[in-house]
Amino acid sequence: MANQTNDSAPMADTIGEMTNRLLADAGIGAGMRVLDVGCGPGDVSFRIAQLVGGQGQVVGIDRDARPLAAARDRARELGLPNVTFAEGDLGALSPEHGLFDAVVGRRVLMYQPDPVAALKSLSRALRPGGLVVFQEHDATMVPACLKPLPLHERAHQWMWRTVEREGADIHMGFHLAGVLEQAGLTGVSVRAEAVVLTPQMRYRTAAVVRAMLPRILQRGVATEAEIDIDTLEERLMDERAKANATFVSDMVFGAWARKPG
Ligand SMILES: C[S@@+](CC[C@H](N)C(=O)[O-])C[C@H]1O[C@@H](n2cnc3c(N)ncnc32)[C@H](O)[C@@H]1O
């Protein structure tokens, strides 16, 4: 799917569009009560809110209070009283949240030390027959290109090695279907989609490296001099322009299944 923007247009949210398709295809729809685990600043929660509509309800939970404050501000700005956020660990969900029609998460199972146990625990908050939908990245095949892109390779390694050293499973995409099955869920469906870039398309690699810079340095993955953050974006664009080659930047897996009814 090569639907990133060219140099002069605003950057498209390709992964957000993948999230929308996954949620809709999995069966998230009008009137449902949905839990978004590891919601962060609420991007996925607001996408779910559009699908469930005014008769539905979305509860986002996250163990980190900082993104939750941003999520609450955004819900107020958007005028969405049926989207609420709570602080907590997804493995120790308070029974006061009640039962849900669906549990959703994006880029969150990869951070759980035991994702099967986390899903089993979350299943207790689902009604019988309820839906589980997760979207997770995978480092296995990216970046991929027919021509060498050594700076792109290094930039991806800085990001992926950092999250791996922080304890994340960087192959969660490939593990996703098996994890859902081992958690006792049924009717598992799985897909993978790629973010494909042509030489002219801008992408967020340099911005993500900039945001992760303190963590990259702290984990000893690369030095400030190696990264040279202020020139990184320009060097990445230049490398792709010279190679004049299409490349795959991200692989995003999506899977859904149901709690036995
Ligand atoms: C990479 S962010 C993804 C945020 C959001 N799902 C999205 O895709 O935009 C991962 C989020 O999961 C949260 N998280 C990770 N493990 C968690 C846990 N066990 N319980 C609650 N939140 C968790 C983190 O605090 C962080 O906000």
Side-chain angles (χ1 to χ4, degrees):
M1 160 194 339
N3 62 347
Q4 284 295 306
T5 58
N6 65 30
D7 211 4
S8 56
M11 197 151 36
D13 183 1
T14 307
I15 292 172
E17 290 161 13
M18 291 176 187
T19 306
N20 284 352
R21 281 195 296 278
L22 175 67
L23 293 171
D25 292 351
I28 302 292
M32 288 173 81
R33 184 163 195 269
V34 183
L35 178 68
D36 176 19
V37 294
C39 62
D43 289 7
V44 176
S45 309
F46 298 123
R47 292 176 188 281
I48 298 167
Q50 288 195 328
L51 291 169
V52 301
Q55 301 303 310
Q57 199 188 355
V58 186
V59 178
I61 63 150
D62 202 289
R63 63 186 173 191
D64 186 346
R66 289 163 302 176
L68 284 180
R72 289 190 184 107
D73 287 347
R74 291 173 74 191
R76 262 193 303 277
E77 279 163 25
L78 293 166
L80 291 171
N82 60 335
V83 184
T84 56
F85 295 96
E87 193 175 336
D89 194 291
L90 63 82
L93 209 58
S94 164
E96 75 189 19
H97 292 304
L99 282 183
F100 292 89
D101 299 305
V103 172
V104 170
R106 183 175 75 176
R107 287 189 295 133
V108 64
L109 281 183
M110 64 184 284
Y111 296 108
Q112 308 316 308
D114 186 343
V116 173
L119 279 179
K120 283 182 177 166
S121 164
L122 283 169
S123 285
R124 290 198 277 277
L126 265 183
R127 66 161 172 80
L131 195 55
V132 172
V133 190
F134 277 88
Q135 188 180 45
E136 299 284 336
H137 283 54
D138 197 293
T140 309
M141 296 183 290
V142 290
C145 186
L146 291 177
K147 294 188 182 163
L149 291 175
L151 181 61
H152 285 71
E153 291 276 354
R154 282 206 302 283
H156 276 72
Q157 279 177 13
W158 298 333
M159 297 184 283
W160 282 114
R161 281 210 182 130
T162 299
V163 292
E164 190 173 35
R165 286 184 190 181
E166 290 171 345
D169 176 2
I170 66 170
H171 304 295
M172 192 62 224
F174 274 103
H175 291 149
L176 191 52
V179 163
L180 265 59
E181 271 161 19
Q182 287 168 54
L185 300 165
T186 58
V188 177
S189 297
V190 66
R191 67 166 56 147
E193 293 182 273
V195 176
V196 182
L197 304 181
T198 64
Q200 299 76 25
M201 291 169 177
R202 275 194 189 276
Y203 196 52
R204 65 190 83 207
T205 307
V208 176
V209 172
R210 186 183 286 280
M212 290 182 67
L213 194 57
R215 290 159 58 197
I216 294 171
L217 300 177
Q218 192 192 358
R219 299 282 165 186
V221 170
T223 65
E224 239 171 322
E226 278 172 281
I227 297 171
D228 191 7
I229 193 66
D230 290 331
T231 64
L232 182 60
E233 176 149 13
E234 195 185 319
R235 286 182 290 134
L236 287 167
M237 289 299 289
D238 191 48
E239 183 174 78
R240 269 192 279 142
K242 284 191 180 129
N244 195 24
T246 293
F247 91 111
V248 173
S249 165
D250 284 296
M251 285 298 301
V252 184
F253 284 67
W256 65 93
R258 287 194 180 272
K259 177 174 174 170

